[in-house]
Amino acid sequence: MKTLVIYAHLLAACVSIGTLLLQDLALWRSRYRVLTQDEILTLRNTATIVFIALLVLWTTGAGLVTMGYFENPQAYFSNQKIWAKFSVVIILSLNGVFLHFYSFPKIVGNKAILQLPSLDQKWIGCSGALSTVSWLFACYLGIARTWNYSVDYSSIMLLYAGLVLFAFIVAHEVMRMSRTVLLTNLNMKESADRDTV
């Protein structure tokens, strides 16, 4: 029974990660233009798939924790890696709510991502970066067996915070460089239009 629960847990994680990374790549490619109706439909389908996968992850994760506790009730919850994984999954779940109610409505509007106000671009970039790092880190914690009972909660969360901060910096810089490219292209187009008049 436990093997089946682990399999379902891993399968849900793989579906989530694969779907999110493909969707992030598609959004990145379309950053200079408004999304088509097909792209918006794909984005909504992706959100549904990830939501279902997250429910499966929470359910199977709770099942694994329950099984682990009954196997070793005295020591199981002293494994601080479990608490770190719960913390990261809570963060990615809350960030998913933010993505659904803030980022997605902005992305599927009548403006390209790089045409949105600067603050919106920063929130979208940071929430996307937080999502990617959190999913990947949670998956890593799931397989990091050598961290069981050996690495404390604060060390794990400090590493996670460092990765998130790095991802925020990268997202900010990528957005800034993309805006620069967009403005340069627009200025070149305006100059070319004036020269042809």
Side-chain angles (χ1 to χ4, degrees):
M1 178 66 178
K2 186 176 181 179
T3 304
L4 288 175
V5 176
I6 292 172
Y7 179 70
H9 194 73
L10 291 174
L11 194 60
C14 291
V15 168
S16 299
I17 290 290
T19 304
L20 281 171
L21 291 178
L22 288 173
Q23 187 59 63
D24 286 348
L25 181 61
L27 285 174
W28 173 247
R29 288 177 175 165
S30 64
R31 65 193 180 278
Y32 294 113
R33 59 175 175 76
V34 178
L35 295 180
T36 66
Q37 288 302 311
D38 285 343
E39 289 170 330
I40 291 171
L41 180 60
T42 300
L43 184 62
R44 295 189 193 285
N45 289 339
T46 298
T48 302
I49 290 168
V50 172
F51 176 73
I52 292 169
L54 190 58
L55 286 179
V56 172
L57 281 169
W58 270 106
T59 304
T60 55
L64 290 171
V65 167
T66 303
M67 291 177 196
Y69 173 75
F70 283 118
E71 287 173 2
N72 191 0
Q74 275 74 37
Y76 187 75
F77 285 123
S78 65
N79 182 4
Q80 295 188 40
K81 189 194 82 171
I82 290 173
W83 298 110
K85 186 175 180 184
F86 267 124
S87 298
V88 173
V89 173
I90 287 169
I91 290 168
L92 73 84
S93 299
L94 293 174
N95 186 58
V97 174
F98 180 82
L99 282 166
H100 183 76
F101 289 104
Y102 181 85
S103 297
F104 287 172
K106 303 282 185 185
I107 291 170
V108 301
N110 57 0
K111 290 184 178 180
I113 293 173
L114 291 177
Q115 294 173 332
L116 294 169
S118 179
L119 184 61
D120 286 339
Q121 291 180 37
K122 288 175 182 176
W123 280 114
I124 291 168
C126 285
S127 61
L130 179 61
S131 176
T132 301
V133 170
S134 298
W135 277 100
L136 291 173
F137 196 73
C139 287
Y140 178 77
L141 289 177
I143 63 168
R145 293 184 179 274
T146 56
W147 287 15
N148 289 336
Y149 305 102
S150 63
V151 184
D152 62 278
Y153 177 86
S154 58
S155 297
I156 296 171
M157 294 308 291
L158 188 62
L159 174 60
Y160 170 68
L163 292 171
V164 169
L165 179 61
F166 177 74
F168 282 175
I169 292 169
V170 170
H172 178 268
E173 284 303 303
V174 167
M175 283 290 194
R176 185 186 62 78
M177 288 188 293
S178 296
R179 284 195 300 271
T180 302
V181 169
L182 179 63
L183 289 173
T184 301
N185 289 341
L186 288 173
N187 289 335
M188 289 174 62
K189 185 177 183 302
E190 287 176 3
S191 296
D193 290 344
R194 282 196 300 269
D195 290 343
T196 56
V197 174

